[in-house]
Amino acid sequence: MTRPGLPKLIATDLDGTLVRSDDTVSAYTHGVLDRVRAAGIPVVGATGRGPRLTELTRNDIRAADFLVMAGGGRVVDQSDPAGPVVLRDERLPAEVLARLLADLEAEVGPLTVMVEASDEHDAPLWGDYHESWPYQDRFEARTRDECLSCDVIKAFARTADDHVDELLAVARRIIAPQVATLTQAGLGFIEICPPGVDKATGLTVVAQSLGVDPADVLVFGDMPNDLPMFEWAGWSRVAVANAHPTLRAVADEVTLRNDDDGVAVYLDRLLSR
């Protein structure tokens, strides 16, 4: 349900939600988000992107007071005049990832696996080459042993047949949530994050730092990795029209597609009513 008045916090996913298919954010969207902040409502960018893409993320959501990155594993307060403050930084131990990948491959067969190990600017993912990965300029082929040589921010895995929702269902059946958080964000790979890491727990860090109740939070999204924050937020949960069916099914409202500036159109109407 949508509550009366205005929310006290607004969080939006980026890729597929705020960001258009050509990887741009319109001047109109930036302008509306500036109006949101001018109205005294903090803005949060909640994304699966890892901290290596912080500068790109800041450019895509310039009005953000906070960033929830890596699907909730990295939370950054950008509102401090002294500079960004990291409020959360979670990693998945290499030995845990090795064990769960072995269990998963025993069930479904060989996997293409990549890991996000570094938070340095524009650092590449490591792992198995796959032609479908859309960001080849930020990828470096490495052996499985090299990928498992250190703790990781998150890992990505897919089967040869690319049935990502089916793989996610199997992975959730055999891997306990106390071991890892599993989701998918529309890239054809399941995403393997540290246990307890999702966009809801990341946003909880933000909400607690601001003294905001989840019931007063408005969220926007498009993919299954947005489900936790849709379940957590209470002011309204808004899916873009191009959203995954599982997210549309739990949304309170549906706005226009990302390519039609659906988030900004919704917020513009909200501020104007």
Side-chain angles (χ1 to χ4, degrees), residues 34-55:
D34 286 340
R35 288 175 55 208
V36 169
R37 290 191 74 240
I41 306 171
V43 175
V44 185
T47 178
R49 298 177 185 177
R52 66 200 179 93
L53 301 177
T54 297
E55 293 309 311

mmCIF file of all heavy atoms in Angstrom, residues 34-55:
data_model
loop_
_atom_site.group_PDB
_atom_site.id
_atom_site.type_symbol
_atom_site.label_atom_id
_atom_site.label_comp_id
_atom_site.label_asym_id
_atom_site.label_seq_id
_atom_site.Cartn_x
_atom_site.Cartn_y
_atom_site.Cartn_z
ATOM 1 N N ASP A 34 17.154 15.777 -7.650
ATOM 2 C CA ASP A 34 17.591 16.986 -6.943
ATOM 3 C C ASP A 34 16.416 17.626 -6.203
ATOM 4 O O ASP A 34 16.573 18.137 -5.080
ATOM 5 C CB ASP A 34 18.195 17.988 -7.923
ATOM 6 C CG ASP A 34 19.578 17.583 -8.410
ATOM 7 O OD1 ASP A 34 20.231 16.763 -7.726
ATOM 8 O OD2 ASP A 34 20.006 18.080 -9.473
ATOM 9 N N ARG A 35 15.233 17.605 -6.813
ATOM 10 C CA ARG A 35 14.040 18.144 -6.150
ATOM 11 C C ARG A 35 13.663 17.315 -4.932
ATOM 12 O O ARG A 35 13.207 17.852 -3.915
ATOM 13 C CB ARG A 35 12.872 18.196 -7.130
ATOM 14 C CG ARG A 35 12.986 19.278 -8.205
ATOM 15 C CD ARG A 35 11.849 19.163 -9.206
ATOM 16 N NE ARG A 35 10.544 19.199 -8.542
ATOM 17 C CZ ARG A 35 9.454 18.599 -9.027
ATOM 18 N NH1 ARG A 35 9.510 17.912 -10.157
ATOM 19 N NH2 ARG A 35 8.305 18.694 -8.375
ATOM 20 N N VAL A 36 13.850 16.008 -5.016
ATOM 21 C CA VAL A 36 13.579 15.134 -3.870
ATOM 22 C C VAL A 36 14.466 15.532 -2.692
ATOM 23 O O VAL A 36 13.994 15.697 -1.556
ATOM 24 C CB VAL A 36 13.816 13.655 -4.252
ATOM 25 C CG1 VAL A 36 13.807 12.773 -3.009
ATOM 26 C CG2 VAL A 36 12.752 13.181 -5.239
ATOM 27 N N ARG A 37 15.741 15.707 -2.955
ATOM 28 C CA ARG A 37 16.666 16.105 -1.885
ATOM 29 C C ARG A 37 16.324 17.485 -1.354
ATOM 30 O O ARG A 37 16.402 17.747 -0.145
ATOM 31 C CB ARG A 37 18.108 16.082 -2.377
ATOM 32 C CG ARG A 37 18.644 14.685 -2.623
ATOM 33 C CD ARG A 37 20.143 14.695 -2.841
ATOM 34 N NE ARG A 37 20.854 14.924 -1.597
ATOM 35 C CZ ARG A 37 21.663 15.952 -1.373
ATOM 36 N NH1 ARG A 37 21.844 16.883 -2.295
ATOM 37 N NH2 ARG A 37 22.299 16.080 -0.215
ATOM 38 N N ALA A 38 15.946 18.390 -2.245
ATOM 39 C CA ALA A 38 15.572 19.744 -1.814
ATOM 40 C C ALA A 38 14.340 19.723 -0.921
ATOM 41 O O ALA A 38 14.151 20.621 -0.084
ATOM 42 C CB ALA A 38 15.329 20.632 -3.031
ATOM 43 N N ALA A 39 13.511 18.681 -1.075
ATOM 44 C CA ALA A 39 12.330 18.520 -0.230
ATOM 45 C C ALA A 39 12.677 17.896 1.122
ATOM 46 O O ALA A 39 11.790 17.667 1.948
ATOM 47 C CB ALA A 39 11.290 17.663 -0.942
ATOM 48 N N GLY A 40 13.960 17.620 1.338
ATOM 49 C CA GLY A 40 14.415 17.084 2.611
ATOM 50 C C GLY A 40 14.346 15.577 2.724
ATOM 51 O O GLY A 40 14.425 15.032 3.831
ATOM 52 N N ILE A 41 14.206 14.876 1.592
ATOM 53 C CA ILE A 41 14.113 13.418 1.598
ATOM 54 C C ILE A 41 15.447 12.832 1.140
ATOM 55 O O ILE A 41 15.851 13.048 -0.007
ATOM 56 C CB ILE A 41 12.986 12.917 0.675
ATOM 57 C CG1 ILE A 41 11.658 13.593 1.030
ATOM 58 C CG2 ILE A 41 12.871 11.404 0.757
ATOM 59 C CD1 ILE A 41 10.558 13.317 0.029
ATOM 60 N N PRO A 42 16.164 12.104 1.990
ATOM 61 C CA PRO A 42 17.420 11.478 1.565
ATOM 62 C C PRO A 42 17.186 10.466 0.453
ATOM 63 O O PRO A 42 16.157 9.785 0.400
ATOM 64 C CB PRO A 42 17.933 10.793 2.833
ATOM 65 C CG PRO A 42 17.222 11.474 3.959
ATOM 66 C CD PRO A 42 15.877 11.864 3.416
ATOM 67 N N VAL A 43 18.161 10.380 -0.452
ATOM 68 C CA VAL A 43 18.111 9.473 -1.599
ATOM 69 C C VAL A 43 19.205 8.422 -1.455
ATOM 70 O O VAL A 43 20.349 8.744 -1.105
ATOM 71 C CB VAL A 43 18.307 10.255 -2.917
ATOM 72 C CG1 VAL A 43 18.389 9.303 -4.108
ATOM 73 C CG2 VAL A 43 17.180 11.262 -3.112
ATOM 74 N N VAL A 44 18.850 7.175 -1.749
ATOM 75 C CA VAL A 44 19.803 6.067 -1.675
ATOM 76 C C VAL A 44 19.856 5.346 -3.018
ATOM 77 O O VAL A 44 18.819 4.992 -3.578
ATOM 78 C CB VAL A 44 19.413 5.044 -0.582
ATOM 79 C CG1 VAL A 44 20.494 3.974 -0.444
ATOM 80 C CG2 VAL A 44 19.167 5.735 0.746
ATOM 81 N N GLY A 45 21.045 5.132 -3.528
ATOM 82 C CA GLY A 45 21.230 4.245 -4.662
ATOM 83 C C GLY A 45 21.488 2.843 -4.139
ATOM 84 O O GLY A 45 22.464 2.627 -3.416
ATOM 85 N N ALA A 46 20.612 1.892 -4.455
ATOM 86 C CA ALA A 46 20.724 0.514 -3.971
ATOM 87 C C ALA A 46 20.967 -0.403 -5.161
ATOM 88 O O ALA A 46 20.062 -0.650 -5.961
ATOM 89 C CB ALA A 46 19.456 0.103 -3.226
ATOM 90 N N THR A 47 22.185 -0.898 -5.292
ATOM 91 C CA THR A 47 22.603 -1.566 -6.513
ATOM 92 C C THR A 47 23.398 -2.838 -6.231
ATOM 93 O O THR A 47 24.008 -2.980 -5.171
ATOM 94 C CB THR A 47 23.454 -0.605 -7.372
ATOM 95 O OG1 THR A 47 23.905 -1.274 -8.546
ATOM 96 C CG2 THR A 47 24.660 -0.079 -6.597
ATOM 97 N N GLY A 48 23.391 -3.725 -7.214
ATOM 98 C CA GLY A 48 24.242 -4.892 -7.143
ATOM 99 C C GLY A 48 25.679 -4.592 -7.507
ATOM 100 O O GLY A 48 26.569 -5.416 -7.272
ATOM 101 N N ARG A 49 25.927 -3.443 -8.100
ATOM 102 C CA ARG A 49 27.295 -3.077 -8.482
ATOM 103 C C ARG A 49 28.219 -3.087 -7.270
ATOM 104 O O ARG A 49 27.863 -2.609 -6.196
ATOM 105 C CB ARG A 49 27.318 -1.676 -9.083
ATOM 106 C CG ARG A 49 26.516 -1.486 -10.348
ATOM 107 C CD ARG A 49 26.587 -0.025 -10.758
ATOM 108 N NE ARG A 49 25.749 0.295 -11.909
ATOM 109 C CZ ARG A 49 25.610 1.519 -12.409
ATOM 110 N NH1 ARG A 49 26.243 2.541 -11.840
ATOM 111 N NH2 ARG A 49 24.841 1.728 -13.458
ATOM 112 N N GLY A 50 29.423 -3.603 -7.481
ATOM 113 C CA GLY A 50 30.392 -3.633 -6.406
ATOM 114 C C GLY A 50 31.095 -2.298 -6.230
ATOM 115 O O GLY A 50 30.974 -1.389 -7.062
ATOM 116 N N PRO A 51 31.852 -2.155 -5.137
ATOM 117 C CA PRO A 51 32.528 -0.892 -4.847
ATOM 118 C C PRO A 51 33.562 -0.479 -5.889
ATOM 119 O O PRO A 51 33.917 0.696 -5.967
ATOM 120 C CB PRO A 51 33.175 -1.134 -3.477
ATOM 121 C CG PRO A 51 33.165 -2.615 -3.285
ATOM 122 C CD PRO A 51 32.004 -3.134 -4.045
ATOM 123 N N ARG A 52 34.017 -1.403 -6.731
ATOM 124 C CA ARG A 52 34.937 -1.040 -7.813
ATOM 125 C C ARG A 52 34.257 -0.101 -8.824
ATOM 126 O O ARG A 52 34.927 0.563 -9.611
ATOM 127 C CB ARG A 52 35.436 -2.310 -8.517
ATOM 128 C CG ARG A 52 34.353 -3.059 -9.246
ATOM 129 C CD ARG A 52 34.681 -4.515 -9.547
ATOM 130 N NE ARG A 52 33.549 -5.130 -10.219
ATOM 131 C CZ ARG A 52 33.409 -5.206 -11.534
ATOM 132 N NH1 ARG A 52 34.338 -4.718 -12.329
ATOM 133 N NH2 ARG A 52 32.354 -5.761 -12.071
ATOM 134 N N LEU A 53 32.920 -0.058 -8.792
ATOM 135 C CA LEU A 53 32.148 0.797 -9.701
ATOM 136 C C LEU A 53 31.540 1.994 -8.976
ATOM 137 O O LEU A 53 30.540 2.549 -9.419
ATOM 138 C CB LEU A 53 31.050 -0.027 -10.377
ATOM 139 C CG LEU A 53 31.526 -1.233 -11.190
ATOM 140 C CD1 LEU A 53 30.351 -2.006 -11.754
ATOM 141 C CD2 LEU A 53 32.477 -0.805 -12.308
ATOM 142 N N THR A 54 32.179 2.415 -7.889
ATOM 143 C CA THR A 54 31.633 3.512 -7.097
ATOM 144 C C THR A 54 31.538 4.806 -7.895
ATOM 145 O O THR A 54 30.522 5.523 -7.827
ATOM 146 C CB THR A 54 32.484 3.736 -5.833
ATOM 147 O OG1 THR A 54 32.408 2.557 -5.014
ATOM 148 C CG2 THR A 54 31.978 4.926 -5.031
ATOM 149 N N GLU A 55 32.566 5.141 -8.653
ATOM 150 C CA GLU A 55 32.544 6.409 -9.391
ATOM 151 C C GLU A 55 31.447 6.410 -10.453
ATOM 152 O O GLU A 55 30.747 7.411 -10.646
ATOM 153 C CB GLU A 55 33.907 6.685 -10.011
ATOM 154 C CG GLU A 55 35.006 6.951 -8.983
ATOM 155 C CD GLU A 55 34.601 8.015 -7.968
ATOM 156 O OE1 GLU A 55 34.118 9.094 -8.375
ATOM 157 O OE2 GLU A 55 34.750 7.770 -6.756
#
